[in-house]
Amino acid sequence: MAKLYFYYSSMNAGKSSSLLQADFNYRERGMATMLWTAALDTRSDGLVRSRIGLEAEAHRFRPDTDLRAAITAAHRESALDCVLLDEAQFLSETQVWQLAGVADELGIPVLCYGLRTDFQGALFPGSAVLLGIADALVELKAVCHCGRKATMNLRVSEDGSAVKQGAQTEIGGNDRYVALCRKHFSAALKG
């Protein structure tokens, strides 16, 4: 029975690297995969790209992309063994349910990788639904500067100070976000 998986973490835990490793493992065994990433992340240019230099071409999803229809069409052309999706926090509730249908009705495992929470500690919509309905939840670990597990994403300004307000989504990497444990996240917001 195929499952819907959600691999989640804070920034800098290796989500994209893990996705690319899983993709490699399937392909190495002669299996067909389909990769997806968020069109919203314009830095990726249609690639799943890790900080350690690995990358692979991917389809890009937008808020209005019917993932189930796109995956079904590709599966009819050439049987898929796995679907891997990066930046899963940007999925809509409808899209998460579409992916659940891919696993349940098409029998294709779906591996989603994304952030659990935003820079204010709130769940992203896609992550909230995945946490609620995924068959398997896997937390990937990042490390705070103190050595504890980093679970939070602190947004920082150009001068390095904590950003407390703003849009939920602002694309950026290490220049805009710092992975912290809850203690240091809270302290940074109070400071």
Side-chain angles (χ1 to χ4, degrees), residues 65-69 93-103:
T65 302
D66 185 333
L67 291 168
R68 182 173 174 156
E93 178 178 355
T94 298
Q95 289 170 322
V96 173
W97 281 101
Q98 290 169 357
L99 294 171
V102 167

Side-chain angles (χ1 to χ4, degrees), residues 29-83:
R29 288 162 183 80
M31 297 176 164
T33 61
M34 185 177 205
L35 276 60
W36 289 87
T37 192
L40 179 65
D41 187 350
T42 55
R43 299 170 306 153
S44 70
D45 197 31
L47 298 171
V48 172
R49 184 177 288 147
S50 72
R51 290 177 297 116
I52 61 171
L54 303 174
E55 62 184 32
E57 289 186 25
H59 298 270
R60 297 167 81 179
F61 70 87
R62 292 171 174 72
D64 61 345
T65 302
D66 185 333
L67 291 168
R68 182 173 174 156
I71 294 165
T72 299
H75 185 59
R76 283 188 184 132
E77 283 185 33
S78 180
L80 294 171
D81 296 296
C82 186
V83 172

Side-chain angles (χ1 to χ4, degrees), residues 146-180:
C146 70
R148 293 175 56 188
K149 179 173 71 171
T151 57
M152 310 301 290
N153 303 300
L154 180 71
R155 184 182 292 168
V156 295
S157 64
E158 289 182 17
D159 69 0
S161 59
V163 175
K164 300 174 186 178
Q165 295 181 351
Q168 183 177 46
T169 300
E170 184 176 311
I171 303 301
N174 293 344
D175 60 324
R176 295 293 293 148
Y177 295 94
V178 179
L180 297 173

Side-chain angles (χ1 to χ4, degrees), residues 79-156:
L80 294 171
D81 296 296
C82 186
V83 172
L84 302 104
L85 189 137
D86 203 20
E87 306 293 352
Q89 69 271 12
F90 298 134
L91 291 166
S92 69
E93 178 178 355
T94 298
Q95 289 170 322
V96 173
W97 281 101
Q98 290 169 357
L99 294 171
V102 167
D104 296 343
E105 294 163 28
L106 297 180
I108 303 169
V110 178
L111 286 61
C112 297
Y113 295 77
L115 297 172
R116 182 179 62 162
T117 59
D118 66 15
F119 77 107
Q120 294 177 320
L123 291 171
F124 281 98
S127 301
V129 181
L130 282 163
L131 287 167
I133 72 166
D135 298 299
L137 301 172
V138 181
E139 183 180 24
L140 302 175
K141 308 289 191 293
V143 180
C144 180
H145 62 81
C146 70
R148 293 175 56 188
K149 179 173 71 171
T151 57
M152 310 301 290
N153 303 300
L154 180 71
R155 184 182 292 168
V156 295

